[in-house]
Amino acid sequence: MNPSATLVSLSASAQELVDVSRELEGMLPADIVRWAVASFGAADEVPPYKSFLVTSSFQDATLSHVAQSAAPGIEVVLLDTGYLFAETHWYAENLGKTFGINVHIDKRNEPHLAPNGWQVDTDACCAARKVVPLEDALENKKVWITGVRREDSEARKSTPIVSRDIMRGVIKVNPLAGMSDSDIALYNELYELPVHPLREHGYTSIGCWPCTRPTKPGEDPRAGRWSGSGKTECGLHIS
Ligand code: SF4
């Protein structure tokens, strides 16, 4: 790990987090996760690293592979909205088996929710099926590790590597924030990571099946999410 990355504590000030984010720019994503464990993990932190929540949409394997490389045995959670593609379930489970990644498919709220909310109010549906389950999952966690990248969208272009999610009371770490699409492709090729099976059918960003369509050549990669509605984010990464 880059020895110049300053370790900070859970009570770090906003300025300390800004400063260390700058230091972490350009570091390997696995080293950023190692830094996070060294900074924020409990002294006796052991797998599956109970202070940490790693969430992935499993539209690709990058974040889960990075997390597993840096902190073997760390749990990588797929929040199951009840509307994920069958291919996403298969892909996440297959990654777990093939690469020894500790994948957990979390269905915590699904049985209690009325079906088909997406047909009448996608914001309410995302709130109930994504945001509330995430916030439940973050209970008793100190650090949230995500796969958000600046190249994902205009709204994400200022994403820092580390910040405090004040609303949720956790430190948020985005080890892939600075990676471009070509960096991701190179990483996945280097480690021979499998591709989500819907990619070959034109899906460039993959969420729930009712709200995701394939994109056309030249379209923004996230144009297939909530297409035509003006909605661009589910609310997980807005705070
Ligand atoms: S993406 Fe669509 S189906 Fe999934 S939680 Fe949001 S509104 Fe509901």
Side-chain angles (χ1 to χ4, degrees), residues 147-167:
V148 170
R149 294 188 299 120
R150 293 175 195 137
E151 270 202 9
D152 285 337
S153 67
E154 188 64 19
R156 297 181 179 183
K157 71 178 188 187
S158 303
T159 301
I161 290 178
V162 57
S163 62
R164 188 179 303 282
D165 186 330
I166 294 169
M167 202 175 73

Side-chain angles (χ1 to χ4, degrees), residues 52-190:
F52 293 77
L53 178 72
V54 184
T55 56
S56 173
S57 63
F58 285 94
Q59 60 178 320
D60 61 40
T62 317
L63 180 67
S64 54
H65 186 267
V66 163
Q68 167 69 13
S69 307
I74 199 166
E75 193 173 75
V76 183
V77 174
L78 171 62
L79 291 169
D80 189 352
T81 61
Y83 291 112
L84 297 179
F85 288 96
E87 288 88 342
T88 301
H89 279 273
W90 174 85
Y91 182 68
E93 285 162 6
N94 193 48
L95 280 175
K97 286 182 200 144
T98 308
F99 291 89
I101 295 167
N102 184 7
V103 175
H104 173 56
I105 299 180
D106 186 328
K107 297 173 179 283
R108 66 182 63 222
N109 276 359
E110 188 194 339
H112 311 296
L113 294 171
N116 301 326
W118 56 272
Q119 291 178 327
V120 288
D121 185 343
T122 53
D123 285 342
C125 184
C126 281
R129 291 180 179 271
K130 291 188 172 187
V131 179
V132 171
L134 169 75
E135 288 170 359
D136 285 352
L138 283 172
E139 266 292 296
N140 305 318
K141 302 291 184 188
K142 297 184 170 70
V143 182
W144 176 27
I145 297 178
T146 88
V148 170
R149 294 188 299 120
R150 293 175 195 137
E151 270 202 9
D152 285 337
S153 67
E154 188 64 19
R156 297 181 179 183
K157 71 178 188 187
S158 303
T159 301
I161 290 178
V162 57
S163 62
R164 188 179 303 282
D165 186 330
I166 294 169
M167 202 175 73
R168 294 164 179 144
V170 293
I171 299 282
K172 186 174 180 184
V173 180
N174 305 301
L176 312 186
M179 292 180 82
S180 64
D181 293 342
S182 54
D183 292 335
I184 293 288
L186 195 62
Y187 183 98
N188 294 346
E189 195 180 321
L190 184 65

